Structures are given as structure tokens and as C-alpha cells.
Amino acid sequence: MFSYFRLKLMLLSWLISPLLFAQDSGCAGVPGFIEKFGFNLQTTAISTDETNVVGLCLVDVTKRYTYAQKPFQHETWDDAGYLATIVRNRDGSCYVIPVPVVNNLKNPALLQNIIYKVDGQTGVMRKHIELPAGDKNISQNPYGLLGLTNDCDNNFFYAASVYHSDRANERGVIYSLDINTKEIIDKIENIDAMGLQVWRNNGIKKLLIGKARSSDVYSVEISPNGKFVGQPKLEFTVNNLGPRGDDRVRKFKIDPSSGDLLVFGTEFYFNLIAPSKDQSSTYRFRYDNKNQAWKFVGIEKSAY
Amino acid sequence: MKFLTQILLFFLLVCLAISACNTSPAKDVNLLAVRQAKVQQVLNSSLPIITLENLDKNATKAQEVAINDPSFQQSLYDPQHKAYKNEIFQVNPLSQSDNIQGGYGCPDGQCYQVEMYNYALNRTTIGIVNVKRERMIKTLTYPDVQPNLPEHLVDLAVYIANNSPEVQEALGGKPDKDKAIMERTKTALNKSRCERSMHLCVAPTYVVEPKALWAIVDLTDEQLVGTRWTDVGTTGINITERRLQNDLITEKYCEKENTYAQGDWSLKYMMTSSDGLLVYDVKYKGKSVIKSLKLVDWHVSYSNREGFGYSDAIGCPYFSSAAVVAVEAPKFSPLVENNDTVGFTLSQNYWSEGWPAPCNYNYQQKFEFYTNGSFRPAMASIGRGCGNDGIYRPILRIALAGDKQNLFEYTKDNAWQVWKTEKWNKQSDLTQYSDEGYEFKIATENAQYYIEPSRGQFSDGGRGDNAYFYLTKDKPQADEGTTDLPTLGTCCNIDYRQGPQLFINNENTENEALVMWYVPEIRNDNRKGNEYCWAERVLEDGVYVNKIYPCFAGPKFVMIN
């Protein structure tokens, strides 16, 4: 017996976005399990954002799902509760993180620092990397991992955890991970972050970091071997932008046509309220190489 | 004739608003009264747009063309043809860069940009007008965008702030109006936001070295939202509605124990992470009578969709496990029955940002303390939820003070039977009540109470509790609610399995410290005239206001002797 979540209108979408395989770009491979499960690559998306579905599912975008007729789920895809941030590797494997929605019933607070892997061929989801966890202030902070991204040039993944943070203490960690060996390569401590994105400019590779406690975006240089170089520096902020003005950056995306940075913001105050999709905005930023600064271009309609 | 009456009424209201109508200097003008009179007059007119005055000839023409153009009038009325409050904020010559980028092809100086704000919809409409040709070139609409304020609204915001008791209390007196307006370095109108209400808000700011007082004014509702001191050196982060509210609740109620005393009562209270407002260490006439009262969870299920619903925790807005958070501070108010003050009430609201839109929620806790020693913990849903088939089951935890307690159930013929072990029951048509309406009686070392469930007899609109009642032994070391409880049970069980049954282990409950769990079962209703656990937005005076239909539930503990 599980409690279904509220209507699509209210689904927590700040970390979540369905990926249509045929439209995807970058280094994300196509999972073999899509066709194995009988789905058409051209019309199928993998999603953590469907009404009445806990965890991951495959969505045929040509179909209309109902309360009774739900999207396809492998039997392991709801094992970790509600999930977010699907990152696909070259081999088509999908990596996801758990994020509680409205309450901790499906997402026990002590199990929120685990990266799960959905095998690209079999579709079976299993625990992949258990990041340092242990005791935490559950009543003040039900969250663990909030961000995950990868570097298309290698096997390095970057994960943001706020597991040990509470109201008075910013104890978040950004991990650099080798996704194959499961080794922690490096980490930055005492920083609460959500959105992460690898960004290259003039031959320098940086990790963009959306802060979880403010509307600021920081960056830190990353070396070819996945180590962090120096301390995070402020790049820009979405403070006072958009209809709310206090959004946190939950996700980034590089617009392949323009090279612009799309910055996805939403309300986030380390509680379990469910912001509706109306309460999410996409901000477009462009890097000005001459002045070495980001320029705010405008606000776009929310994109999911 | 009607038009003439409106004009006369308008001038009458203006005169009333100005003390000593014909002789008073401008500083005595009650700007708020003038404003409200003007809004009413415009809303009742055939073209409900508040226009800008004292414009030059071209700007006046541009405004006139714009407000009379059908494309500019798209958001003047709601679907029932009730007028929204719309106001022209700016009329300016079109800049050359906008002219070029917009591709309007306006010869120099011929085009104007007219900006209109819709308060109800939080929407800006911009009209590009060629004044020479007296034609609208283009109309653009921007949801969630607010134009720059005209001078008279700056004055209104400062007036509201200057005249608010909060500002006057913070500054030690009423700020000088003229000085405030003229010396911008001392008082500035900072940009602010009302992220929750999505209203038009600004913040008159008063510098009192080394600090600055921000007073957030809501120009949609034309009232003060709140105040906050900051360091003058602080830059970058504006004080906004949500920041102000979250900081206030966090600092004063989530991180700090509060005490209150009135008459024979004294109590402590604090906001929890996920169990709502906790009232504890309650004394009556110096004796401890209540250990703690709190609201652990709200279970909401929908009868037409099996298994659909959710378990909502309520509590602190920042770093918490709450799904619906406290927005305003707890309030104390007189408890009045039959025009007589019989005690006081402590109440606390929690709401989702989009409430009362569908699938958003508003909950209320209230604790009534009677002068005669009785008390009543109660709660209500104020809608609106995801449908009209909702059933709310709030989980109230009640722990009285004392290590030796006994609970008795009314059977019949004035007989009371003790509950010897942990168990539960359900209020139903078969439930036996004493003549006074009492179902239980509880005795502690310091006090005895009858327990009177709601059957619709309380004067707060409640229609009856239909409650599950659980009795468990108080085990402070066993993590059964002494501290903040995580979500207790799933949303959608339709029987006694609401969570507290997990703590029932057939343990002895005679002469023990006890915990009572009270879980009313309340069905919402949206039928016209029968609304219950419901809320809706209605258009009043050109802006949306919330009409609420709370469904209060909760037992009264009637002190014996």
C-alpha cells in the first residue's frame, strides 16, 4: 500500500525532467532496455515525474496515461522511493538519486545519500555508490543528494549532497566520483548545492554549482583527473530575477544551438513543500568572453 | 444620473478623507482613504482603468488611445464581467532602442509606451501608441511582471508604512512624512516582492544608523506585510515577503521557546519541524496540567480514487520536514462565547503558496484555554485540496501532566469504566455519551477532565469529529512522539490504521503516564451553501480575496471541580 502523490500539477519537478531518447544530445547513450521492454525509441521518455508513479518509469509520449493505466515500470524502479536527476552514461546506463516528495514515507531520511544505477542493458536498478551518511538531523533536513551530473570526456560524475546540513550548519559536500570504480576522487566540503553542470570555456573546464541556500551560482575549476582546483568562486546570481526572486538553481543545461546556459530555478527552503510547475522558471545566461562575465539574457517559459 | 451620483460620492469621500476639507495642508491628506475612494469610483465606471494624471499633451493622448483600444482592454474583467483593478503606471516616449528592436518604425517622438498593471492577475500590459496617428501599434502582455511605480503609488506606500503601528513602534514614533519623501538618502523605496501572495509589494526603508528598517507594503491589498531591521551595510539581498515571514517564524518560534501567561494559565509554545505548534508545560493555577499538545500529521485521502492522497506534516518554513509551512506568527486572541470573554485562544495557520488553487492546502491549529480550567485543542482544514471527495484525518497528540493517570469511558447510567490497557475506539452512532455529551473522563494527580468530542455543538462551525481515539502509555524513551515525529502512517487507510495503533502493545494504562491520540474524520464539501474544509477565490474590489470554510474538529477537556 503506498500513498500516491498529488496531481501532476503539483508534482515536485525541481530536479526532475523526462528525457526523450531521440532528442537527447551530448554523451548520453541509448539504454538497450528500452527496446527490450518493447518501447519505440522515437516516442519513449524515461521519467521520474509521472502522476501516481513512485520512482522511474518509461513513458510513451503518444499515449495518455490515467490513474488506472500507469506508465511502465521495471519491478526495481520504485525500490528507492521518489527519484530525481537522471544522468545517462555512454553505455546507456542511467544514474539517479532519491529525493523525498512531501514526506519521508517512501524516502527514509537515512537512505538519501545513495546513487542508484539502472543497468543500460537489463534495466535492473541497484544501489551503485553509497556516499558517507550515518546520523543526521532528520527533523530539520529530510534530504541527502540534491544534484548529479557527469563529464562527457571521461567517467567522472559530480554529486551534491546536503545530507549532514541543518539550519545552523552548512555541511554539504560536492563529490567528484569515478562512476566505474566508485572511487571518491575529490570533494569540496561545507557547501550546500543543488544544480551541477560541467562547463568548458577557453580550454578550462569548470563545474557550475547552484547553491541550495542562496540564489547564487558558483564555479570551481576541475582538472583532467577529476580533482577540484581551488575554491568555488561566484559566477552570477538569479537573486531578484523571475516572478519570485529567491529561486535556487536546481539544474543547468547548455543550449546546443547558442551555447547559452539555461538555468532552471525553483523555490527551495530545505522543507518538503511541493512547488508547482508554475513556481519554476528558466533563466537564460550568456557568457561574455570579453568581459569574462555572465550576462542575463532573459526569462523563458518553464521547460521540463 | 448614476454617473453624477458616483462623482458626488467620490468627492464626498475625498472630502471626508481630508481633515478640515478646505483649509488643511496637503500633509494631512489620508492618502489611503482617497485611494480607496478612487478605486471604487473607477471599478464602477464604464472603463475600469485608473489613469495617470498631470501628463503632458502627447502622453495624455497616448494614454487615451491605449485605454480605448480593444487590444489593451483584454484583462479588464473576469469571466463574470466583474472589473479587475487595472491602473496605468507609466506613459513614456518610446525609446529609440525599443523602437528599433521592436521594429515599430516610429518616426522620432511620435510613439509612446503605455504600461498598465492588473493587480488581480499580477500582469502587465504594454501598449505602443503612435500619438500622431492616434493608433495602437502593438499590445504586449507580460504575466508575473510588475512595472515601475508611478510617484503617487510611492507616496501611498510610504503613507501606509508611516501610519502603521509596527513602523511607528520600531522607530519610536511616526516618521515625518515630508522628510521621508524629500530626503531619499534617509528613506528610500526599496524593491521588494511578495512571492507568496504574488502581489505588488515595495519596501519603504528607514535608515537609523547603523541599521535600516524595511517596511514591506502590499499595494494590491494596500496594507503593511511586516517590518525587518537590517544592517545598513547589507547589500544585494532584498527583504521580501517570504524572507521576512520565514525569518520571523524561524528566529522567534522555531529556534526559541516562548512563554505566555494569562489569568490562571501559563504555557510554553514553540514551532516544531513537522508536528505543528507545540504547546507544553501548561499550568493552571500553578499546577502542571498538560505535558504537551501537538498535531502530528494531516492524512488526506480521496474517496473516489483508492489509495490517492498524501500525508502532510506541518511546521517550520525553513529546514524542516513540513509539507505545509507556518507563514505567520502564532496569535493570541480573546475566547468569546455569548458575548462574554471566557478565556483565550492560541492559533496558528499553515498554508501552501498557491492556496486556494486546487491541490494546495491550508491548515489551522487552535488551542482554547478557558478561565474555568477547561481547554480544547482543535484544528481545521481550510481546503482546498485535490477534489471535493476529500477526507481529512488530522492526528492530534495529547499528553497530560502526571505519572498516574486513568482514563474512563462512559458506558451508561452515569457509569464510567476504566481502560486498563492500551487500545482504541471510534466515535460513532453507537457511542455512549453522558447527558452533558461527555465520552471519556481522565484523572491525573493534579486535575480531572471530562472529554467532550465535537458533535457539532461548538460554535466554530464544526459538524462533528467522528474521531478515532487511541490510548497509549507515555514512553518518552521509545520515540513515540515525545520528540518530533516523522510522517506517521500512510495517507489513505480508511480504518483505525492512522498511525497511533503502532504504539498499542496491550500495555497497562492504569495509574500510568498516558498519551491520547485523537484522529477526527472530516469530509470536505464544495456544494453551494454547504462548503466545508473548503476555500475559494472571489473578486472583491478588483482584486482576489479568499473566502474560507474551515472545518474545525477537536475534543474539549472540561475540568471537573
Side-chain angles (χ1 to χ4, degrees):
Chain A
M1 191 77 172
F2 66 85
S3 60
Y4 291 118
F5 183 47
R6 56 194 63 182
L7 295 176
K8 180 99 173 174
L9 175 72
M10 284 299 295
L11 270 169
L12 180 67
S13 300
W14 46 269
L15 289 166
I16 308 169
S17 164
L19 295 173
L20 195 63
F21 296 102
Q23 292 177 353
D24 208 1
S25 59
C27 58
V30 176
F33 63 75
I34 305 296
E35 290 184 312
K36 182 186 152 192
F37 292 147
F39 284 83
N40 180 347
L41 286 175
Q42 299 301 313
T43 60
T44 302
I46 188 164
S47 174
T48 56
D49 187 23
E50 298 308 307
T51 309
N52 304 327
V53 177
V54 177
L56 205 65
C57 62
L58 286 182
V59 180
D60 184 333
V61 296
T62 65
K63 284 188 177 173
R64 187 180 178 88
Y65 295 98
T66 64
Y67 186 75
Q69 188 187 4
K70 297 187 176 69
F72 172 82
Q73 278 195 295
H74 184 271
E75 62 188 29
T76 59
W77 289 0
D78 64 357
D79 289 356
Y82 290 98
L83 300 170
T85 312
I86 306 162
V87 179
R88 276 189 290 139
N89 223 354
R90 288 186 185 283
D91 67 1
S93 292
C94 303
Y95 298 85
V96 288
I97 56 176
V99 171
V101 172
V102 178
N103 57 52
N104 277 118
L105 282 174
K106 287 286 164 188
N107 293 65
L110 299 180
L111 301 178
Q112 299 306 295
N113 234 20
I114 300 167
I115 298 172
Y116 290 83
K117 175 183 178 180
V118 182
D119 185 276
Q121 295 308 310
T122 66
V124 174
M125 186 178 85
R126 288 198 178 93
K127 285 181 188 174
H128 189 64
I129 299 177
E130 292 191 52
L131 290 164
D135 286 346
K136 66 171 287 175
N137 189 336
I138 293 172
S139 68
Q140 278 197 16
N141 176 12
Y143 292 95
L145 287 162
L146 287 180
L148 184 71
T149 193
N150 66 336
D151 183 344
C152 277
D153 297 338
N154 45 51
N155 297 319
F156 303 146
F157 272 54
Y158 300 91
S161 168
V162 297
Y163 186 92
H164 287 107
S165 291
D166 57 32
R167 197 180 293 143
N169 300 290
E170 184 170 359
R171 296 199 191 104
V173 181
I174 298 174
Y175 293 97
S176 170
L177 307 162
D178 185 316
I179 204 69
N180 290 341
T181 66
K182 305 181 185 180
E183 175 196 1
I184 296 176
I185 299 167
D186 202 355
K187 63 182 176 183
I188 305 171
E189 294 181 302
N190 302 320
I191 179 169
D192 287 350
M194 291 179 79
L196 299 174
Q197 174 73 42
V198 174
W199 174 66
R200 302 164 191 78
N201 187 50
N202 293 326
I204 295 173
K205 192 181 285 183
K206 289 181 175 178
L207 182 69
L208 296 175
I209 301 162
K211 293 286 295 284
R213 288 185 187 237
S214 74
S215 304
D216 297 339
V217 172
Y218 278 67
S219 76
V220 64
E221 192 177 329
I222 41 183
S223 72
N225 59 2
K227 293 265 187 189
F228 297 117
V229 181
Q231 289 300 306
K233 294 174 185 164
L234 181 67
E235 289 281 345
F236 61 88
T237 183
V238 296
N239 185 41
N240 290 329
L241 297 180
R244 294 162 301 280
D246 61 346
D247 278 1
R248 310 306 190 226
V249 175
R250 65 177 174 87
K251 194 174 87 167
F252 300 93
K253 192 176 176 183
I254 309 276
D255 182 345
S257 60
S258 63
D260 287 353
L261 185 68
L262 300 178
V263 177
F264 298 80
T266 194
E267 177 192 346
F268 181 69
Y269 281 92
F270 286 85
N271 54 34
L272 288 172
I273 70 164
S276 70
K277 288 184 175 180
D278 291 342
Q279 291 170 313
S280 186
S281 302
T282 305
Y283 308 92
R284 181 177 285 269
F285 281 82
R286 189 167 298 152
Y287 195 72
D288 178 354
N289 264 309
K290 186 180 171 189
N291 295 310
Q292 297 197 335
W294 291 94
K295 184 183 172 193
F296 172 59
V297 178
I299 299 175
E300 308 193 348
K301 192 172 161 58
S302 294
Y304 287 89
Chain B
M1 187 65 189
K2 187 183 172 189
F3 179 71
L4 272 175
T5 310
Q6 284 172 0
I7 294 285
L8 284 170
L9 179 66
F10 172 65
F11 281 108
L12 178 64
L13 283 167
V14 169
C15 284
L16 282 172
I18 302 171
S19 53
C21 199
N22 57 347
T23 58
S24 174
K27 68 178 181 181
D28 289 330
V29 172
N30 183 337
L31 288 184
L32 193 56
V34 172
R35 167 73 175 179
Q36 287 166 350
K38 177 154 192 170
V39 169
Q40 281 305 317
Q41 184 231 346
V42 170
L43 288 176
N44 291 325
S45 69
S46 57
L47 186 56
I49 300 173
I50 305 166
T51 52
L52 273 178
E53 295 165 0
N54 302 320
L55 297 172
D56 65 27
K57 189 179 164 190
N58 278 347
T60 302
K61 175 59 71 180
Q63 177 172 255
E64 187 185 328
V65 170
I67 65 175
N68 286 292
D69 191 278
S71 69
F72 202 73
Q73 298 175 348
Q74 294 300 308
S75 61
L76 297 191
Y77 298 98
D78 77 350
Q80 283 71 46
H81 206 69
K82 285 183 78 176
Y84 292 127
K85 184 163 89 175
N86 276 282
E87 182 165 9
I88 303 296
F89 272 39
Q90 301 288 336
V91 182
N92 293 313
L94 186 68
S95 71
Q96 194 56 19
S97 61
D98 284 347
N99 185 23
I100 294 167
Q101 291 194 357
Y104 302 126
C106 277
D108 194 26
Q110 286 190 14
C111 286
Y112 275 70
Q113 179 166 309
V114 183
E115 298 175 7
M116 180 172 72
Y117 181 64
N118 181 313
Y119 290 87
L121 303 176
N122 188 30
R123 174 187 294 175
T124 294
T125 302
I126 293 179
I128 308 296
V129 176
N130 185 318
V131 288
K132 192 170 182 186
R133 298 173 60 194
E134 299 188 9
R135 283 182 60 183
M136 178 76 87
I137 296 175
K138 188 157 191 175
T139 304
L140 304 154
T141 303
Y142 298 93
D144 299 328
V145 170
Q146 301 168 343
N148 287 329
L149 258 55
E151 194 66 25
H152 69 273
L153 287 182
V154 174
D155 293 344
L156 180 66
V158 173
Y159 177 86
I160 291 170
N162 282 355
N163 286 281
S164 69
E166 290 96 328
V167 167
Q168 292 178 14
E169 186 183 340
L171 296 176
K174 185 176 175 180
D176 186 298
K177 179 243 176 193
D178 293 333
K179 187 177 178 184
I181 295 296
M182 290 167 64
E183 295 184 19
R184 295 292 168 142
T185 51
K186 292 281 176 62
T187 299
L189 195 68
N190 266 310
K191 281 194 173 180
S192 185
R193 289 168 185 271
C194 284
E195 311 96 326
R196 287 194 160 114
S197 60
M198 299 305 274
H199 285 179
L200 176 66
C201 291
V202 290
T205 304
Y206 306 85
V207 175
V208 182
E209 295 286 357
K211 293 191 174 291
L213 180 74
W214 289 60
I216 298 181
V217 173
D218 180 337
L219 285 169
T220 302
D221 284 347
E222 295 171 352
Q223 63 184 13
L224 187 87
V225 173
T227 60
R228 182 167 179 80
W229 286 103
T230 63
D231 292 327
V232 169
T234 305
T235 57
I237 303 294
N238 285 358
I239 306 300
T240 63
E241 177 196 42
R242 181 154 58 206
R243 283 177 187 137
L244 186 146
Q245 291 170 335
N246 283 359
D247 287 353
L248 174 80
I249 297 284
T250 302
E251 290 166 14
K252 287 193 174 175
Y253 303 103
C254 296
E255 295 179 341
K256 215 174 102 185
E257 178 179 273
N258 293 270
T259 58
Y260 184 78
Q262 183 174 324
D264 291 326
W265 289 98
S266 70
L267 57 88
K268 294 176 180 171
Y269 63 102
M270 197 169 177
M271 186 61 64
T272 66
S273 168
S274 64
D275 290 347
L277 190 69
L278 170 72
V279 173
Y280 59 105
D281 198 6
V282 181
K283 293 185 173 120
Y284 181 71
K285 293 189 173 175
K287 287 185 177 178
S288 290
V289 289
I290 301 169
K291 189 175 177 185
S292 67
L293 304 168
K294 63 179 181 177
L295 188 50
V296 172
D297 260 335
W298 279 89
H299 291 172
V300 193
S301 62
Y302 291 87
S303 56
N304 294 341
R305 288 157 284 183
E306 187 186 345
F308 176 74
Y310 26 87
S311 299
D312 281 345
I314 52 175
C316 291
Y318 188 46
F319 277 96
S320 77
S321 300
V324 185
V325 299
V327 172
E328 293 174 345
K331 287 180 189 146
F332 288 91
S333 57
L335 176 59
V336 178
E337 286 182 358
N338 302 320
N339 295 322
D340 187 16
T341 300
V342 294
F344 65 93
T345 301
L346 168 59
S347 58
Q348 176 67 52
N349 268 71
Y350 311 81
W351 69 81
S352 311
E353 312 246 317
W355 177 83
C359 284
N360 288 280
Y361 290 83
N362 186 324
Y363 300 121
Q364 188 178 117
Q365 273 181 289
K366 70 172 179 179
F367 305 88
E368 295 173 341
F369 296 95
Y370 291 78
T371 310
N372 65 9
S374 301
F375 68 94
R376 181 179 177 225
M379 56 260 144
S381 162
I382 313 178
R384 166 165 167 156
C386 290
N388 59 4
D389 58 337
I391 300 173
Y392 292 88
R393 297 183 181 91
I395 300 172
L396 179 64
R397 185 182 189 275
I398 306 158
L400 299 189
D403 294 329
K404 290 182 179 172
Q405 301 179 29
N406 287 286
L407 181 91
F408 306 87
E409 180 181 5
Y410 183 81
T411 51
K412 57 182 177 179
D413 302 328
N414 210 25
W416 296 88
Q417 190 171 347
V418 70
W419 280 22
K420 295 181 177 178
T421 59
E422 295 176 322
K423 65 175 183 175
W424 65 272
N425 80 356
K426 172 90 190 289
Q427 189 187 356
S428 71
D429 293 343
L430 300 176
T431 299
Q432 299 281 326
Y433 302 96
S434 71
D435 289 346
E436 299 86 355
Y438 307 142
E439 184 183 359
F440 295 105
K441 182 170 78 173
I442 187 161
T444 74
E445 293 98 314
N446 290 335
Q448 291 187 67
Y449 301 93
Y450 291 118
I451 302 175
E452 180 186 3
S454 169
R455 292 187 288 162
Q457 76 275 30
F458 300 122
S459 55
D460 54 11
R463 298 176 187 173
D465 291 350
N466 307 309
Y468 293 99
F469 182 92
Y470 311 74
L471 184 70
T472 61
K473 187 177 163 184
D474 189 6
K475 287 167 269 184
Q477 309 305 322
D479 198 18
E480 292 185 355
T482 302
T483 56
D484 225 28
L485 266 178
T487 302
L488 188 60
T490 68
C491 61
C492 302
N493 288 337
I494 58 172
D495 55 14
Y496 74 99
R497 294 171 300 154
Q498 299 302 320
Q501 83 284 353
L502 297 169
F503 308 137
I504 292 179
N505 302 302
N506 205 32
E507 293 200 51
N508 172 57
T509 53
E510 285 188 286
N511 296 312
E512 296 280 2
L514 302 175
V515 175
M516 291 166 278
W517 305 80
Y518 193 84
V519 184
E521 197 168 73
I522 319 162
R523 290 176 185 273
N524 73 357
D525 195 339
N526 73 331
R527 291 174 301 154
K528 205 73 188 163
N530 289 289
E531 293 93 340
Y532 199 51
C533 309
W534 199 252
E536 55 197 18
R537 296 179 82 198
V538 294
L539 196 63
E540 279 184 11
D541 297 335
V543 296
Y544 282 108
V545 296
N546 300 319
K547 199 167 182 183
I548 63 170
Y549 306 91
C551 50
F552 276 104
K556 183 174 179 182
F557 286 69
V558 180
M559 184 170 255
I560 304 171
N561 297 324

